[in-house]
Amino acid sequence: MTENPTPCTGGHDVGDGHRMAPRWLEGYRTIEGLAGTMAEAAARGDWPRFERAHRDVERTIASLPAAEPDEPDALTPVERRTRFAILARILAHDAKIRDTIEPWSPSIDVWLGRRPFGTLDRRSR
């Protein structure tokens, strides 16, 4: 996993005729890898490595410009599916990190009589 993220620019044309969407996706892939590094480091208790990866995630996120949903060169359907798949994997890494760092969290929901966040109440349908 890389721990030196490459700044990413955005989802628009940079002036040389190249679309920026692939750079956005590359930024998401960088974050995905760093989130995996964070999950591994948390599982091992390697907090210095965890903190380095976390700082790299912050730098990568800061290098991504704000998305403009109405831009004419928004993500293609394939790029959009790729983006959602990457984001799902980032969230899976995040869940592993939270399970490691806050193993008591789901038990608090049960104690308070609440369903853990993200679970569906099938009876309401």
Side-chain angles (χ1 to χ4, degrees):
M1 308 281 162
T2 181
E3 293 193 22
N4 293 320
T6 303
C8 298
T9 47
H12 56 279
D13 192 305
V14 287
D16 62 0
H18 291 96
R19 289 182 64 247
M20 296 299 288
R23 293 186 190 173
W24 263 99
L25 293 176
E26 195 55 42
Y28 289 158
R29 286 185 186 102
T30 299
I31 294 166
E32 176 189 0
L34 291 166
T37 298
M38 289 172 63
E40 291 169 10
R44 293 182 179 146
D46 185 349
W47 303 116
R49 185 173 182 222
F50 180 91
E51 287 297 323
R52 281 191 308 273
H54 186 265
R55 283 191 302 271
D56 288 345
V57 166
E58 289 175 336
R59 279 193 289 271
T60 302
I61 290 170
S63 74
L64 296 170
E68 295 293 334
D70 296 328
E71 286 186 20
D73 59 348
L75 297 175
T76 67
V78 170
E79 291 167 336
R80 195 172 305 115
R81 283 190 299 275
T82 300
R83 175 178 167 247
F84 283 120
I86 294 168
L87 292 173
R89 291 189 298 269
I90 291 170
L91 290 174
H93 289 310
D94 183 69
K96 288 178 189 174
I97 293 166
R98 289 183 191 282
D99 287 346
T100 301
I101 294 175
E102 302 171 348
W104 44 265
S105 183
S107 64
I108 288 176
D109 286 325
V110 172
W111 184 70
L112 294 174
R114 299 184 307 205
R115 285 179 288 115
F117 181 76
T119 60
L120 296 175
D121 183 1
R122 304 264 184 221
R123 295 171 292 166
S124 65
R125 290 187 173 187

